[in-house]
Amino acid sequence: MTPVRVLAVASEVYPIVKTGGLADVAGALPIALKAHGVEMRTLMPGYPDVMRLLGGADEIRRWPDYFGGPGRLLAGSHGGLDLFVLDVPHLYARPGNPYVTTEGFDWPDNGVRFAALSRVAADIGHGLIPAFVPDIVHAHDWQAGLAPAYLHYDGGARPGTVMTIHNMAYQGKFAPQLADAIGLPLDASFDVHGLEYFGGISFLKAGLQLADRITTVSPTYAREIQSDEGGMGLGGLLRERADVLSGILNGIDISVWNPQTDPHIAYRFSAEELSFRSANKAALQQRLGLDPRPDALLLGVISRLSWQKGLDLLLEAMPIVLGEGMQLALLGSGDADLQDRYQRAARVDQGRIAAVIGYDEALAHLIQAGSDALLVPSRFEPCGLTQLCALRYGAVPIVSRVGGLADTVSEPATGFTFGPVSSENLSAALRRASFAFHDKAAWRQLQLTGLATDVSWRHRAGEYVALYRSLMASRRP
Ligand code: ADP
Ligand code: GLC
């Protein structure tokens, strides 16, 4: 079969820049697709961390004035990923996170910053780089949402376009005047079938309206976002486009998340040596100042602290955690209020609750290897990756029955699930887990069934290939 060439467009890519699961997916999918004959190159902005690694890459294009300052396009590779880097210092050479200032506010020019990324994606789609003319442009989340829009409004021949939603909550909304500054035809595009969204423009809406195909990261989330509530303002559009919308479950990179080779954990283990997990549990308890109790059910949480993740519900369920003699190891950062409340809880119940505020990849691995159960009580969850890592590490997932969590964890086979999402139902799930934990054979069976679950990209990447090929076939004259 002829190879498929795909330009992926993403605002973060693991292991180069990561704030969440989008980076994991953007970093792992191209490698998984290689085995299926897909040549994927990924376009990303040249933030400082990117330039440190790829600053010496080949310059393939230079502009004296790209959206208000000099810019370059570089081509290089890192960790098995083939990358295009858009190096535009006045847009991307800034400290901290890709999206917000060090004080935590959105950069006021985010509209221009990410329009610039999509503009060059569309140009590559039109043949800017003769050595790599893609069959498909695959845009991830709102930051890349204008790529299908530029390709649509530019007119003429163009590659197929796919828009993937990782999270409906982030829609890239801006004032309509921005259209002018970013070279979109406001007259032609400012209606309900174009960029217009409640009187402004939305980059995500543009992508969803104008891409040939839409995917999201689990089948259940694909259904949920077609409702008014789950669609967060875009449910109607998605119902109208249901025939081109599908859900493809995420996988995880099983070489990064491998308990047999993981350099970040205290003791490596396989399914045959599950008892070695107790050494990781002891190391985790020691590291976080938790009481050294092998018999206490140790709950792990690795999460952004935002409304989405439902961690306020866990605070409400804390009497159950403590009453059942459980321990909690939480690693996360985000909302100041949640950070404060968890730190306070950890001070009050030292030895039983530990909260590490921050981002720490090595500790995330140790929590997966050392906690008995991993908790994800999300209000909505497009896919979720930590429960997949947990399955692979023998930490039994306790999750709400929403989105990708519902598609990847099932009770009684691999974990504990609850719904509708409330602190009462979470408490009940915690009680069931506590009861099961004291039956060693039953708990071990849960772990083993989890460890035998395929959480890799192997088959899931095949679903993207099928989508690309069917899109190409449908566009052939
Ligand atoms: P989301 O993308 O909504 O944040 P996911 O579960 O899809 O949620 O992905 C989160 C990713 O980020 C996982 O790889 C998880 O291990 C990682 N992660 C989240 N918070 C932290 C943290 N504080 N420290 C280290 N890794 C984290
Ligand atoms: C988003 C979602 C998460 C998903 C990730 C990768 O950040 O919140 O559920 O796993 O993207 O697709």
mmCIF file with all atom_site columns, all heavy atoms in Angstrom, residues 171-190:
data_model
loop_
_atom_site.group_PDB
_atom_site.id
_atom_site.type_symbol
_atom_site.label_atom_id
_atom_site.label_alt_id
_atom_site.label_comp_id
_atom_site.label_asym_id
_atom_site.label_entity_id
_atom_site.label_seq_id
_atom_site.pdbx_PDB_ins_code
_atom_site.Cartn_x
_atom_site.Cartn_y
_atom_site.Cartn_z
_atom_site.occupancy
_atom_site.B_iso_or_equiv
_atom_site.pdbx_formal_charge
_atom_site.auth_seq_id
_atom_site.auth_comp_id
_atom_site.auth_asym_id
_atom_site.auth_atom_id
_atom_site.pdbx_PDB_model_num
ATOM 1   N N   . GLN A 1 171 ? -11.856 26.154 24.132 1.00 0.00 ? 171 GLN A N   1
ATOM 2   C CA  . GLN A 1 171 ? -12.430 26.365 22.803 1.00 0.00 ? 171 GLN A CA  1
ATOM 3   C C   . GLN A 1 171 ? -11.737 27.460 21.998 1.00 0.00 ? 171 GLN A C   1
ATOM 4   O O   . GLN A 1 171 ? -12.096 27.714 20.865 1.00 0.00 ? 171 GLN A O   1
ATOM 5   C CB  . GLN A 1 171 ? -13.925 26.662 22.950 1.00 0.00 ? 171 GLN A CB  1
ATOM 6   C CG  . GLN A 1 171 ? -14.655 25.529 23.682 1.00 0.00 ? 171 GLN A CG  1
ATOM 7   C CD  . GLN A 1 171 ? -16.159 25.668 23.734 1.00 0.00 ? 171 GLN A CD  1
ATOM 8   O OE1 . GLN A 1 171 ? -16.684 26.759 23.503 1.00 0.00 ? 171 GLN A OE1 1
ATOM 9   N NE2 . GLN A 1 171 ? -16.847 24.580 24.035 1.00 0.00 ? 171 GLN A NE2 1
ATOM 10  N N   . GLY A 1 172 ? -10.752 28.125 22.585 1.00 0.00 ? 172 GLY A N   1
ATOM 11  C CA  . GLY A 1 172 ? -10.030 29.167 21.844 1.00 0.00 ? 172 GLY A CA  1
ATOM 12  C C   . GLY A 1 172 ? -10.955 30.265 21.346 1.00 0.00 ? 172 GLY A C   1
ATOM 13  O O   . GLY A 1 172 ? -11.104 30.458 20.145 1.00 0.00 ? 172 GLY A O   1
ATOM 14  N N   . LYS A 1 173 ? -11.559 31.000 22.298 1.00 0.00 ? 173 LYS A N   1
ATOM 15  C CA  . LYS A 1 173 ? -12.535 32.042 21.927 1.00 0.00 ? 173 LYS A CA  1
ATOM 16  C C   . LYS A 1 173 ? -11.873 33.417 21.932 1.00 0.00 ? 173 LYS A C   1
ATOM 17  O O   . LYS A 1 173 ? -11.183 33.761 22.894 1.00 0.00 ? 173 LYS A O   1
ATOM 18  C CB  . LYS A 1 173 ? -13.701 32.035 22.905 1.00 0.00 ? 173 LYS A CB  1
ATOM 19  C CG  . LYS A 1 173 ? -14.559 30.792 22.773 1.00 0.00 ? 173 LYS A CG  1
ATOM 20  C CD  . LYS A 1 173 ? -15.798 30.894 23.619 1.00 0.00 ? 173 LYS A CD  1
ATOM 21  C CE  . LYS A 1 173 ? -15.654 30.085 24.881 1.00 0.00 ? 173 LYS A CE  1
ATOM 22  N NZ  . LYS A 1 173 ? -16.834 29.974 25.690 1.00 0.00 ? 173 LYS A NZ  1
ATOM 23  N N   . PHE A 1 174 ? -12.131 34.184 20.882 1.00 0.00 ? 174 PHE A N   1
ATOM 24  C CA  . PHE A 1 174 ? -11.520 35.512 20.757 1.00 0.00 ? 174 PHE A CA  1
ATOM 25  C C   . PHE A 1 174 ? -12.526 36.497 20.166 1.00 0.00 ? 174 PHE A C   1
ATOM 26  O O   . PHE A 1 174 ? -13.577 36.093 19.642 1.00 0.00 ? 174 PHE A O   1
ATOM 27  C CB  . PHE A 1 174 ? -10.267 35.430 19.872 1.00 0.00 ? 174 PHE A CB  1
ATOM 28  C CG  . PHE A 1 174 ? -9.246  34.462 20.410 1.00 0.00 ? 174 PHE A CG  1
ATOM 29  C CD1 . PHE A 1 174 ? -9.169  33.158 19.930 1.00 0.00 ? 174 PHE A CD1 1
ATOM 30  C CD2 . PHE A 1 174 ? -8.391  34.831 21.446 1.00 0.00 ? 174 PHE A CD2 1
ATOM 31  C CE1 . PHE A 1 174 ? -8.261  32.246 20.447 1.00 0.00 ? 174 PHE A CE1 1
ATOM 32  C CE2 . PHE A 1 174 ? -7.481  33.932 21.983 1.00 0.00 ? 174 PHE A CE2 1
ATOM 33  C CZ  . PHE A 1 174 ? -7.412  32.637 21.477 1.00 0.00 ? 174 PHE A CZ  1
ATOM 34  N N   . ALA A 1 175 ? -12.146 37.797 20.237 1.00 0.00 ? 175 ALA A N   1
ATOM 35  C CA  . ALA A 1 175 ? -13.018 38.827 19.657 1.00 0.00 ? 175 ALA A CA  1
ATOM 36  C C   . ALA A 1 175 ? -13.002 38.712 18.135 1.00 0.00 ? 175 ALA A C   1
ATOM 37  O O   . ALA A 1 175 ? -11.990 38.316 17.547 1.00 0.00 ? 175 ALA A O   1
ATOM 38  C CB  . ALA A 1 175 ? -12.514 40.206 20.076 1.00 0.00 ? 175 ALA A CB  1
ATOM 39  N N   . PRO A 1 176 ? -14.111 39.067 17.470 1.00 0.00 ? 176 PRO A N   1
ATOM 40  C CA  . PRO A 1 176 ? -14.189 38.881 16.012 1.00 0.00 ? 176 PRO A CA  1
ATOM 41  C C   . PRO A 1 176 ? -13.134 39.688 15.253 1.00 0.00 ? 176 PRO A C   1
ATOM 42  O O   . PRO A 1 176 ? -12.698 39.265 14.173 1.00 0.00 ? 176 PRO A O   1
ATOM 43  C CB  . PRO A 1 176 ? -15.607 39.362 15.660 1.00 0.00 ? 176 PRO A CB  1
ATOM 44  C CG  . PRO A 1 176 ? -16.114 40.100 16.851 1.00 0.00 ? 176 PRO A CG  1
ATOM 45  C CD  . PRO A 1 176 ? -15.369 39.588 18.040 1.00 0.00 ? 176 PRO A CD  1
ATOM 46  N N   . GLN A 1 177 ? -12.704 40.816 15.834 1.00 0.00 ? 177 GLN A N   1
ATOM 47  C CA  . GLN A 1 177 ? -11.718 41.664 15.150 1.00 0.00 ? 177 GLN A CA  1
ATOM 48  C C   . GLN A 1 177 ? -10.417 40.916 14.871 1.00 0.00 ? 177 GLN A C   1
ATOM 49  O O   . GLN A 1 177 ? -9.647  41.295 13.988 1.00 0.00 ? 177 GLN A O   1
ATOM 50  C CB  . GLN A 1 177 ? -11.373 42.921 15.983 1.00 0.00 ? 177 GLN A CB  1
ATOM 51  C CG  . GLN A 1 177 ? -12.512 43.906 16.171 1.00 0.00 ? 177 GLN A CG  1
ATOM 52  C CD  . GLN A 1 177 ? -13.548 43.419 17.194 1.00 0.00 ? 177 GLN A CD  1
ATOM 53  O OE1 . GLN A 1 177 ? -13.355 42.411 17.850 1.00 0.00 ? 177 GLN A OE1 1
ATOM 54  N NE2 . GLN A 1 177 ? -14.663 44.149 17.294 1.00 0.00 ? 177 GLN A NE2 1
ATOM 55  N N   . LEU A 1 178 ? -10.172 39.844 15.620 1.00 0.00 ? 178 LEU A N   1
ATOM 56  C CA  . LEU A 1 178 ? -8.925  39.102 15.418 1.00 0.00 ? 178 LEU A CA  1
ATOM 57  C C   . LEU A 1 178 ? -8.829  38.569 13.984 1.00 0.00 ? 178 LEU A C   1
ATOM 58  O O   . LEU A 1 178 ? -7.725  38.461 13.439 1.00 0.00 ? 178 LEU A O   1
ATOM 59  C CB  . LEU A 1 178 ? -8.852  37.939 16.417 1.00 0.00 ? 178 LEU A CB  1
ATOM 60  C CG  . LEU A 1 178 ? -7.617  37.041 16.311 1.00 0.00 ? 178 LEU A CG  1
ATOM 61  C CD1 . LEU A 1 178 ? -6.367  37.800 16.753 1.00 0.00 ? 178 LEU A CD1 1
ATOM 62  C CD2 . LEU A 1 178 ? -7.776  35.778 17.159 1.00 0.00 ? 178 LEU A CD2 1
ATOM 63  N N   . ALA A 1 179 ? -9.979  38.246 13.384 1.00 0.00 ? 179 ALA A N   1
ATOM 64  C CA  . ALA A 1 179 ? -9.975  37.612 12.058 1.00 0.00 ? 179 ALA A CA  1
ATOM 65  C C   . ALA A 1 179 ? -9.108  38.394 11.072 1.00 0.00 ? 179 ALA A C   1
ATOM 66  O O   . ALA A 1 179 ? -8.320  37.819 10.318 1.00 0.00 ? 179 ALA A O   1
ATOM 67  C CB  . ALA A 1 179 ? -11.401 37.475 11.533 1.00 0.00 ? 179 ALA A CB  1
ATOM 68  N N   . ASP A 1 180 ? -9.247  39.712 11.096 1.00 0.00 ? 180 ASP A N   1
ATOM 69  C CA  . ASP A 1 180 ? -8.466  40.583 10.212 1.00 0.00 ? 180 ASP A CA  1
ATOM 70  C C   . ASP A 1 180 ? -6.972  40.389 10.404 1.00 0.00 ? 180 ASP A C   1
ATOM 71  O O   . ASP A 1 180 ? -6.228  40.197 9.444  1.00 0.00 ? 180 ASP A O   1
ATOM 72  C CB  . ASP A 1 180 ? -8.781  42.043 10.559 1.00 0.00 ? 180 ASP A CB  1
ATOM 73  C CG  . ASP A 1 180 ? -9.521  42.707 9.431  1.00 0.00 ? 180 ASP A CG  1
ATOM 74  O OD1 . ASP A 1 180 ? -9.742  42.013 8.415  1.00 0.00 ? 180 ASP A OD1 1
ATOM 75  O OD2 . ASP A 1 180 ? -9.863  43.900 9.577  1.00 0.00 ? 180 ASP A OD2 1
ATOM 76  N N   . ALA A 1 181 ? -6.560  40.435 11.671 1.00 0.00 ? 181 ALA A N   1
ATOM 77  C CA  . ALA A 1 181 ? -5.133  40.371 11.992 1.00 0.00 ? 181 ALA A CA  1
ATOM 78  C C   . ALA A 1 181 ? -4.526  39.033 11.584 1.00 0.00 ? 181 ALA A C   1
ATOM 79  O O   . ALA A 1 181 ? -3.321  38.941 11.342 1.00 0.00 ? 181 ALA A O   1
ATOM 80  C CB  . ALA A 1 181 ? -4.935  40.599 13.491 1.00 0.00 ? 181 ALA A CB  1
ATOM 81  N N   . ILE A 1 182 ? -5.336  37.993 11.518 1.00 0.00 ? 182 ILE A N   1
ATOM 82  C CA  . ILE A 1 182 ? -4.772  36.678 11.222 1.00 0.00 ? 182 ILE A CA  1
ATOM 83  C C   . ILE A 1 182 ? -5.108  36.221 9.814  1.00 0.00 ? 182 ILE A C   1
ATOM 84  O O   . ILE A 1 182 ? -4.937  35.048 9.474  1.00 0.00 ? 182 ILE A O   1
ATOM 85  C CB  . ILE A 1 182 ? -5.226  35.628 12.265 1.00 0.00 ? 182 ILE A CB  1
ATOM 86  C CG1 . ILE A 1 182 ? -6.753  35.490 12.295 1.00 0.00 ? 182 ILE A CG1 1
ATOM 87  C CG2 . ILE A 1 182 ? -4.693  35.988 13.648 1.00 0.00 ? 182 ILE A CG2 1
ATOM 88  C CD1 . ILE A 1 182 ? -7.273  34.447 13.267 1.00 0.00 ? 182 ILE A CD1 1
ATOM 89  N N   . GLY A 1 183 ? -5.609  37.152 9.013  1.00 0.00 ? 183 GLY A N   1
ATOM 90  C CA  . GLY A 1 183 ? -5.762  36.866 7.585  1.00 0.00 ? 183 GLY A CA  1
ATOM 91  C C   . GLY A 1 183 ? -6.900  35.927 7.260  1.00 0.00 ? 183 GLY A C   1
ATOM 92  O O   . GLY A 1 183 ? -6.814  35.145 6.312  1.00 0.00 ? 183 GLY A O   1
ATOM 93  N N   . LEU A 1 184 ? -7.970  35.992 8.032  1.00 0.00 ? 184 LEU A N   1
ATOM 94  C CA  . LEU A 1 184 ? -9.147  35.200 7.664  1.00 0.00 ? 184 LEU A CA  1
ATOM 95  C C   . LEU A 1 184 ? -10.213 36.151 7.129  1.00 0.00 ? 184 LEU A C   1
ATOM 96  O O   . LEU A 1 184 ? -10.360 37.268 7.632  1.00 0.00 ? 184 LEU A O   1
ATOM 97  C CB  . LEU A 1 184 ? -9.672  34.420 8.872  1.00 0.00 ? 184 LEU A CB  1
ATOM 98  C CG  . LEU A 1 184 ? -8.914  33.119 9.122  1.00 0.00 ? 184 LEU A CG  1
ATOM 99  C CD1 . LEU A 1 184 ? -9.233  32.568 10.498 1.00 0.00 ? 184 LEU A CD1 1
ATOM 100 C CD2 . LEU A 1 184 ? -9.211  32.068 8.054  1.00 0.00 ? 184 LEU A CD2 1
ATOM 101 N N   . PRO A 1 185 ? -10.948 35.716 6.114  1.00 0.00 ? 185 PRO A N   1
ATOM 102 C CA  . PRO A 1 185 ? -11.930 36.598 5.484  1.00 0.00 ? 185 PRO A CA  1
ATOM 103 C C   . PRO A 1 185 ? -13.162 36.735 6.356  1.00 0.00 ? 185 PRO A C   1
ATOM 104 O O   . PRO A 1 185 ? -14.031 35.879 6.351  1.00 0.00 ? 185 PRO A O   1
ATOM 105 C CB  . PRO A 1 185 ? -12.269 35.852 4.184  1.00 0.00 ? 185 PRO A CB  1
ATOM 106 C CG  . PRO A 1 185 ? -12.026 34.412 4.512  1.00 0.00 ? 185 PRO A CG  1
ATOM 107 C CD  . PRO A 1 185 ? -10.933 34.375 5.528  1.00 0.00 ? 185 PRO A CD  1
ATOM 108 N N   . LEU A 1 186 ? -13.214 37.813 7.138  1.00 0.00 ? 186 LEU A N   1
ATOM 109 C CA  . LEU A 1 186 ? -14.299 37.971 8.103  1.00 0.00 ? 186 LEU A CA  1
ATOM 110 C C   . LEU A 1 186 ? -15.665 37.924 7.415  1.00 0.00 ? 186 LEU A C   1
ATOM 111 O O   . LEU A 1 186 ? -16.593 37.278 7.901  1.00 0.00 ? 186 LEU A O   1
ATOM 112 C CB  . LEU A 1 186 ? -14.130 39.269 8.893  1.00 0.00 ? 186 LEU A CB  1
ATOM 113 C CG  . LEU A 1 186 ? -15.005 39.392 10.137 1.00 0.00 ? 186 LEU A CG  1
ATOM 114 C CD1 . LEU A 1 186 ? -14.782 38.226 11.087 1.00 0.00 ? 186 LEU A CD1 1
ATOM 115 C CD2 . LEU A 1 186 ? -14.745 40.694 10.869 1.00 0.00 ? 186 LEU A CD2 1
ATOM 116 N N   . ASP A 1 187 ? -15.787 38.573 6.251  1.00 0.00 ? 187 ASP A N   1
ATOM 117 C CA  . ASP A 1 187 ? -17.096 38.614 5.585  1.00 0.00 ? 187 ASP A CA  1
ATOM 118 C C   . ASP A 1 187 ? -17.588 37.209 5.253  1.00 0.00 ? 187 ASP A C   1
ATOM 119 O O   . ASP A 1 187 ? -18.714 36.837 5.529  1.00 0.00 ? 187 ASP A O   1
ATOM 120 C CB  . ASP A 1 187 ? -17.016 39.413 4.271  1.00 0.00 ? 187 ASP A CB  1
ATOM 121 C CG  . ASP A 1 187 ? -16.735 40.873 4.575  1.00 0.00 ? 187 ASP A CG  1
ATOM 122 O OD1 . ASP A 1 187 ? -16.912 41.242 5.759  1.00 0.00 ? 187 ASP A OD1 1
ATOM 123 O OD2 . ASP A 1 187 ? -16.321 41.610 3.655  1.00 0.00 ? 187 ASP A OD2 1
ATOM 124 N N   . ALA A 1 188 ? -16.678 36.439 4.645  1.00 0.00 ? 188 ALA A N   1
ATOM 125 C CA  . ALA A 1 188 ? -17.084 35.111 4.198  1.00 0.00 ? 188 ALA A CA  1
ATOM 126 C C   . ALA A 1 188 ? -17.212 34.130 5.365  1.00 0.00 ? 188 ALA A C   1
ATOM 127 O O   . ALA A 1 188 ? -17.995 33.189 5.317  1.00 0.00 ? 188 ALA A O   1
ATOM 128 C CB  . ALA A 1 188 ? -16.061 34.572 3.201  1.00 0.00 ? 188 ALA A CB  1
ATOM 129 N N   . SER A 1 189 ? -16.444 34.360 6.415  1.00 0.00 ? 189 SER A N   1
ATOM 130 C CA  . SER A 1 189 ? -16.345 33.308 7.425  1.00 0.00 ? 189 SER A CA  1
ATOM 131 C C   . SER A 1 189 ? -17.186 33.568 8.666  1.00 0.00 ? 189 SER A C   1
ATOM 132 O O   . SER A 1 189 ? -17.390 32.671 9.470  1.00 0.00 ? 189 SER A O   1
ATOM 133 C CB  . SER A 1 189 ? -14.880 33.145 7.845  1.00 0.00 ? 189 SER A CB  1
ATOM 134 O OG  . SER A 1 189 ? -14.425 34.336 8.453  1.00 0.00 ? 189 SER A OG  1
ATOM 135 N N   . PHE A 1 190 ? -17.681 34.823 8.814  1.00 0.00 ? 190 PHE A N   1
ATOM 136 C CA  . PHE A 1 190 ? -18.326 35.153 10.085 1.00 0.00 ? 190 PHE A CA  1
ATOM 137 C C   . PHE A 1 190 ? -19.812 34.792 10.055 1.00 0.00 ? 190 PHE A C   1
ATOM 138 O O   . PHE A 1 190 ? -20.681 35.643 10.031 1.00 0.00 ? 190 PHE A O   1
ATOM 139 C CB  . PHE A 1 190 ? -18.121 36.636 10.411 1.00 0.00 ? 190 PHE A CB  1
ATOM 140 C CG  . PHE A 1 190 ? -18.361 36.951 11.853 1.00 0.00 ? 190 PHE A CG  1
ATOM 141 C CD1 . PHE A 1 190 ? -17.524 36.448 12.842 1.00 0.00 ? 190 PHE A CD1 1
ATOM 142 C CD2 . PHE A 1 190 ? -19.430 37.741 12.243 1.00 0.00 ? 190 PHE A CD2 1
ATOM 143 C CE1 . PHE A 1 190 ? -17.744 36.720 14.183 1.00 0.00 ? 190 PHE A CE1 1
ATOM 144 C CE2 . PHE A 1 190 ? -19.658 38.021 13.586 1.00 0.00 ? 190 PHE A CE2 1
ATOM 145 C CZ  . PHE A 1 190 ? -18.811 37.503 14.552 1.00 0.00 ? 190 PHE A CZ  1
#
